[in-house]
Amino acid sequence: MSAGINIDYISHTFKGQAEPTLKDIDLTIKPAERVALIGRSGCGKSTLLHMLAGLMLPSEGCVRIHGHTLTRPSAKYNMMFQKPSLYPWMTVRQNAELGLLFAGKKDPDKVDRLLAMVGLSDKADVSVQSLSGGQQQRVALARSLATSPEVLLLDEPFSALDAFTRSDLQDEVSRIVGSEDLTMVIVTHDIEEAVAMADRVLIMDANPGRLIGELTINLPFPRNRGAREFSDKRTELMNKFEKLVGDDASPESSGQIDDSAASFAAA
Amino acid sequence: MNVVEMADNPGKTGAAAASRISWSALRKFALSTIGYPAVGISILLAVWWLGGWVIENDEDISSFAGFAPQPTFLALMNMAASGGLWDMIGPSLYRIGMGLLWAIVAGVPIGVAIGLNASMREISHVPFQFLRMISPLAWMPVAVLAFATWDAAIVFLIAIAAVWPVMFSTAQGVRRIDPLWFKVARNLGADGLQMLRRIIMPAIGQDIFAGIRLAVGVAWIVLVPAEYLGVTSGLGYAINDARDTLEYDTLGAIVVIIGIIGFILDGVCVSLIKRFSWHQQG
Ligand SMILES: Nc1ncnc2c1ncn2[C@@H]1O[C@H](COP(=O)(O)OP(=O)(O)O)[C@@H](O)[C@H]1O
Ligand SMILES: [Mg+2]
């Protein structure tokens, strides 16, 4: 079962700061919708995502899922980060089943199925420290899915990976989100990633962080990056971002280290 | 060597490389486990023997000749043969064990608390640093007044010496925990107790044992002077007793025993640190 998310005029000011980081964010995300959030580094994307996970509460407004106001984190709304942040003293399997352990449940079959789904069946009992970055992020994905979340929140989850691993994982996550019927919000500063994974892309501006535009991407999954419509959408999103956010063509800040420059070269 | 080379030239090159590798590895292993320690021990014995020789040949102090290696080892054999060894070591190990236990029981929870909570850390900083700087032996009169038995007083002295390294190492370990680990666990539904048991304790296991290792060192040093107090058992008492009866060879033997046990205790701690370390061995 997937969940719709209502974001009701959220504003947020961090303690000790004069200016709000987020201002009047109002948004409805439909069940099973896939939303990408793009914007310059520091505009408040991660802050907003933390609020959707219940890991942070807004100083004004609220987030409602199934009509209920979020007040604390829950395994139903799972967040993945740029770093896989696995627990290095656990095996792949132990990491993957941690959420079940916390819930007092045991479901080895499900964990097996998830590890197979992310292609790590043969690594189930090895230390996570022996895995590559991409494999580690796959374990984190299996761990996120083990508690059967309704919402998957992704905070630049692939930006530390090389280009090939990244597009593989984008497709893999898209496939799983489709098959598990999840609602997904992905934060990215990669235009191509947004076009590859989302039904709708939201553009965010900084100071204060607010939503200033959106673009619908009604291409079928799995998406073909080589197709004409794909590159048309990418160009369209790039132009829109440029127009709304400013002259600098890319949604990265100049200071941000990013190896995905290739994604922008085409536009 | 890459795979293509192996395929082109099966057997020979592979076997040669393998034997080369195993020989140099074996040499390295033999040196580090036998060679180097043997050299170190030999130097120690040589210096000791030299000292004994000097003492023996100096009329003013030749009555202390029992300290030389040979009389010392003879005394050690006699003590081992007479079976009195355990009566001497047992009480000392018990006091060390109890002292460390109390240090861990107090030090680990307080360490976790001040590691997690910044205000508790700030509040406790001055009192703890102040108390830490007081020599454990300066507590002796207090311990004697406060505890009904000598044994309890000694355990207290050991505990108060050992608690600081355990506490500070634990706190430091907690502070080094990746904040994302907490966030992820919270997101996966961990409650406070589960966080402690599944995330915090495994994350800081090696830090706790590193603290315990330091604590063992301090405790072992404090033990001997603490056992000069009222008790009539243990290594410290035995040293005092041997001095009073002018049995310098026995005294030397006890010093050797203290060194050996300390060495073993430290080795146990090192293996525990390794056992609870999740850093992959390179
Ligand atoms: N815990 C915090 N306390 C104070 N300021 C914060 C905190 N977290 C983030 N910020 C500030 O809020 C702004 C938005 O941060 P963030 O949501 O991480 O941006 P993004 O993910 O878009 O790069 C930044 O200016 C950042 O410095
Ligand atoms: Mg961010």
Side-chain angles (χ1 to χ4, degrees):
Chain A
M1 183 181 56
S2 53
I5 306 172
N6 293 301
I7 301 170
D8 243 3
Y9 285 97
I10 280 185
S11 295
H12 189 72
T13 309
F14 280 108
K15 233 188 245 157
Q17 286 185 2
E19 299 301 314
T21 295
L22 299 176
K23 184 77 183 153
D24 292 337
I25 294 191
D26 189 59
L27 174 71
T28 300
I29 297 170
K30 295 193 288 286
E33 193 181 8
R34 308 168 189 208
V35 171
L37 198 57
I38 64 172
R40 291 246 170 73
S41 181
C43 72
K45 305 182 297 292
S46 296
T47 306
L48 180 57
L49 211 59
H50 276 77
M51 286 167 181
L52 299 188
L55 286 165
M56 239 187 233
L57 294 179
S59 39
E60 279 170 58
C62 67
V63 176
R64 282 177 293 133
I65 297 187
H66 288 312
H68 294 294
T69 302
L70 267 192
T71 53
R72 59 196 165 86
S74 152
K76 291 216 167 318
Y77 330 120
N78 198 284
M79 183 145 166
M80 277 178 68
F81 303 87
Q82 180 174 343
K83 276 207 313 187
S85 42
L86 302 174
Y87 300 101
W89 56 88
M90 300 180 190
T91 63
V92 168
R93 171 184 294 279
Q94 287 167 333
N95 268 282
E97 64 191 5
L98 192 59
L100 292 172
L101 183 75
F102 288 153
K105 289 182 198 148
K106 250 195 158 133
D107 196 344
D109 292 344
K110 182 179 193 179
V111 176
D112 283 341
R113 191 165 50 77
L114 287 170
L115 289 179
M117 197 191 258
V118 298
L120 287 172
S121 293
D122 54 331
K123 303 268 185 195
D125 296 310
V126 309
S127 158
V128 290
Q129 292 183 85
S130 62
L131 303 183
S132 70
Q135 290 173 323
Q136 293 195 8
Q137 201 56 290
R138 288 190 158 90
V139 178
L141 180 62
R143 178 175 66 185
S144 292
L145 296 172
T147 47
S148 307
E150 300 171 357
V151 179
L152 195 58
L153 305 162
L154 307 164
D155 194 355
E156 305 185 21
F158 313 127
S159 53
L161 305 174
D162 67 83
F164 297 112
T165 312
R166 183 176 351 168
S167 59
D168 278 355
L169 265 168
Q170 286 166 356
D171 294 345
E172 206 163 312
V173 168
S174 289
R175 182 171 55 76
I176 291 168
V177 163
S179 68
E180 307 281 307
D181 206 26
L182 302 176
T183 307
M184 181 192 84
V185 182
I186 181 169
V187 162
T188 179
H189 48 227
D190 180 345
I191 296 267
E192 167 141 344
E193 184 163 279
V195 177
M197 295 187 69
D199 299 318
R200 181 156 61 124
V201 182
L202 304 172
I203 299 170
M204 209 167 155
D205 200 6
N207 303 319
R210 61 201 186 283
L211 300 175
I212 53 168
E214 63 176 63
L215 181 73
T216 303
I217 299 176
N218 44 8
L219 301 173
F221 289 97
R223 286 185 178 162
N224 177 0
R225 288 178 178 73
R228 172 75 182 285
E229 302 80 43
F230 190 93
S231 55
D232 286 350
K233 273 294 175 190
R234 191 171 51 197
T235 311
E236 191 183 348
L237 180 57
M238 180 64 86
N239 292 337
K240 188 154 193 166
F241 187 87
E242 231 172 294
K243 198 175 107 226
L244 290 173
V245 179
D247 353 280
D248 192 349
S250 90
E252 305 158 76
S253 82
S254 47
Q256 185 99 20
I257 300 159
D258 193 296
D259 58 350
S260 64
S263 336
F264 301 100
Chain B
M1 162 169 329
N2 68 40
V3 183
V4 180
E5 260 174 39
M6 289 283 278
D8 281 351
N9 195 355
K12 263 191 197 162
T13 345
S19 74
R20 234 189 356 261
I21 287 165
S22 70
W23 271 117
S24 78
L26 199 68
R27 218 176 117 238
K28 212 167 150 191
F29 177 79
L31 266 180
S32 65
T33 55
I34 305 166
Y36 292 137
V39 171
I41 292 169
S42 307
I43 292 174
L44 186 65
L45 285 173
V47 171
W48 185 7
W49 177 84
L50 199 69
W53 183 82
V54 168
I55 290 173
E56 206 170 347
N57 290 288
D58 186 332
E59 282 170 21
D60 293 342
I61 52 174
S62 60
S63 57
F64 297 110
F67 281 126
Q70 210 193 350
T72 294
F73 279 114
L74 277 175
L76 199 55
M77 301 288 224
N78 287 337
M79 284 162 77
S82 71
L85 217 50
W86 181 251
D87 291 341
M88 190 165 66
I89 298 170
S92 285
L93 285 182
Y94 167 80
R95 289 167 194 142
I96 279 280
M98 290 304 287
L100 282 172
L101 191 67
W102 282 113
I104 293 165
V105 165
V108 171
I110 297 175
V112 170
I114 62 178
L116 287 175
N117 187 308
S119 10
M120 278 173 80
R121 187 160 60 240
E122 303 283 327
I123 291 169
S124 65
H125 178 77
V126 173
F128 282 168
Q129 292 300 329
F130 171 79
L131 290 171
R132 185 173 80 98
M133 284 303 158
I134 300 170
S135 160
L137 298 177
W139 290 102
M140 226 182 238
V142 180
V144 171
L145 286 174
F147 291 92
T149 66
W150 291 108
D151 254 325
I154 291 171
V155 167
F156 169 79
L157 290 181
I158 291 169
I160 205 145
V163 73
W164 308 112
V166 175
M167 188 189 295
F168 293 135
S169 183
T170 303
Q172 200 186 21
V174 171
R175 292 189 66 186
R176 272 206 308 260
I177 296 178
D178 185 342
L180 260 184
W181 285 352
F182 291 119
K183 210 182 266 182
V184 167
R186 231 155 47 89
N187 198 174
L188 289 173
D191 60 31
L193 214 61
Q194 288 169 328
M195 187 75 86
L196 187 67
R197 171 154 175 235
R198 304 286 177 188
I199 311 298
I200 297 175
M201 292 314 281
I204 64 171
Q206 59 188 337
D207 301 283
I208 294 177
F209 282 102
I212 291 175
R213 183 187 180 193
L214 293 175
V216 167
V218 182
W220 196 239
I221 289 167
V222 169
L223 174 78
V224 168
E227 282 181 338
Y228 291 171
L229 280 175
V231 291
T232 53
S233 62
L235 293 162
Y237 166 77
I239 284 203
N240 233 6
D241 192 46
R243 189 197 60 190
D244 292 347
T245 56
L246 308 181
E247 298 169 65
Y248 295 118
D249 52 348
T250 306
L251 210 162
I254 298 165
V255 169
V256 170
I257 292 170
I258 290 173
I260 290 173
I261 297 176
F263 184 80
I264 292 171
L265 288 178
D266 190 64
V268 170
C269 291
V270 169
S271 65
L272 282 171
I273 292 171
K274 274 209 190 109
R275 161 77 184 71
F276 283 90
S277 163
W278 41 261
H279 291 291
Q280 204 155 55
Q281 270 90 29

